[in-house]
Amino acid sequence: MTTHAIFSPSSAHRWMRCAGSVGLESREPDSSSEFADEGTAAHELAALALANDTDAAAYLGRIITAGEREFAVDAEMAGHVQMYVDYVRGLPGEVKLIEQALPLEHITGEPYACGTADAVIVTTDPVYGLVDLTVVDLKYGQGVLIDAENNPQLQMYALAAVREFDYLGDFNSVRVAIVQPRRDHVSEHVYTTYELGTFRQRAAAAADRSFLASRYFDKYGEMHAKYLNPGDSQCRFCRAKATCPALAAHVLATVADDFVDVSQPIAPQLEPT
């Protein structure tokens, strides 16, 4: 049995930086935006094309339901998704797995948790017994440019893929890639197993702290300030940002710094000589 992860790879950039975010978000409605649903529809289109060995344009006019919304596949969506499809097809590898479920429990300690990678490509070397893995993630959004290097989501997928396919042999490398077609952007990075092991320690410690924060929140009905760490990356898409006390204080302090206290005398400015 597997379950959708509370400490999910897609939100790792948040809970690894702000331990209290998971607890605060648990009390907020889990509603999806139109942009997020459109991204879900694009992912479904990409999976259809790859699984059926067709181009995305083969599904023009198809209605894809995502959340409570419906999206018709048009030429624009098909063209953007095709960039991702072509990238995945162009990668060398004997096995290409689409929408692959990957185990996360060994990273975060969350029982039976798993995540889903958009594509996993496996290449084996029968002579040396080495295995190359590539994990590819489709980002359909265009608002924020996203890179593969130092990306917590992709590092979690890489670690999970190593665990899932460790029976094949020793790993030579794990390549991760982001394809962001609406920004005409492809970003790749190769991780050593040592680097992934170091990241795993950080992720495990962050998950433990986030779990403690959630227990505190459940017990006392409020989040202790020590678990909250507002910042641009972790707060941007957090469902609890409207009610987060730490973010409110951070914004207030930032705004206050931009104003001059007119109640205090201002020293005269002398002309330079």
Side-chain angles (χ1 to χ4, degrees):
M1 180 183 69
T2 59
T3 61
H4 179 72
I6 296 175
F7 304 117
S8 68
S10 61
S11 61
H13 67 283
R14 182 159 51 251
W15 56 260
M16 286 187 67
R17 290 182 173 93
C18 180
S21 62
V22 172
L24 290 182
E25 282 195 313
S26 68
R27 303 287 178 90
E28 300 295 329
D30 190 9
S31 57
S32 181
S33 69
E34 182 176 356
F35 299 109
D37 286 344
E38 183 184 34
T40 299
H43 276 77
E44 183 171 335
L45 174 61
L48 281 170
L50 287 169
N52 296 317
D53 197 24
T54 58
D55 287 340
Y59 303 95
L60 286 172
R62 173 175 288 216
I63 303 299
I64 299 178
T65 301
E68 297 181 352
R69 299 178 175 90
E70 292 184 341
F71 297 88
V73 177
D74 57 15
E76 181 182 7
M77 178 183 285
H80 290 315
V81 168
Q82 190 63 40
M83 177 180 170
Y84 164 78
V85 170
D86 290 342
Y87 178 85
V88 173
R89 285 181 178 153
L91 292 172
E94 301 96 36
V95 180
K96 296 184 179 181
L97 303 166
I98 310 305
E99 298 294 317
Q100 176 66 29
L102 297 171
L104 301 174
E105 183 175 356
H106 69 292
I107 304 172
T108 65
E110 183 182 347
Y112 309 111
C114 70
T116 303
D118 294 336
V120 178
I121 294 87
V122 183
T123 305
T124 58
D125 185 334
V127 176
Y128 297 101
L130 299 176
V131 183
D132 286 336
L133 281 175
T134 301
V135 179
V136 188
D137 192 52
L138 168 62
K139 297 295 186 188
Y140 196 67
Q142 59 181 334
V144 180
L145 198 67
I146 303 174
D147 289 320
E149 187 174 2
N150 296 322
N151 186 299
Q153 178 181 13
L154 289 186
Q155 288 178 89
M156 285 189 70
Y157 283 147
L159 275 167
V162 168
R163 170 60 67 92
E164 183 73 0
F165 301 106
D166 62 355
Y167 64 91
L168 294 175
D170 296 324
F171 289 92
N172 185 40
S173 64
V174 183
R175 179 184 299 275
V176 296
I178 284 176
V179 180
Q180 196 170 1
R182 296 170 79 185
R183 295 291 300 268
D184 194 25
H185 176 64
V186 175
S187 177
E188 300 177 340
H189 188 72
V190 177
Y191 287 103
T192 66
T193 52
Y194 176 80
E195 289 173 324
L196 290 175
T198 300
F199 172 81
R200 180 185 175 278
Q201 293 176 345
R202 289 172 43 221
D208 286 343
R209 182 169 172 78
S210 187
F211 175 73
L212 292 174
S214 295
R215 288 187 62 182
Y216 182 96
F217 188 59
D218 289 340
K219 182 175 182 179
Y220 296 105
E222 61 181 11
M223 185 61 69
H224 197 289
K226 69 179 180 180
Y227 293 122
L228 297 173
N229 177 36
D232 181 63
S233 176
Q234 56 268 42
C235 294
R236 181 180 293 120
F237 299 114
C238 180
R239 297 197 309 272
K241 64 182 179 181
T243 57
C244 176
L247 178 58
H250 174 72
V251 171
L252 184 61
T254 302
V255 171
D257 287 342
D258 292 334
F259 287 90
V260 176
D261 186 356
V262 296
S263 67
Q264 300 298 320
I266 300 176
Q269 299 295 310
L270 301 178
E271 293 291 336
T273 58

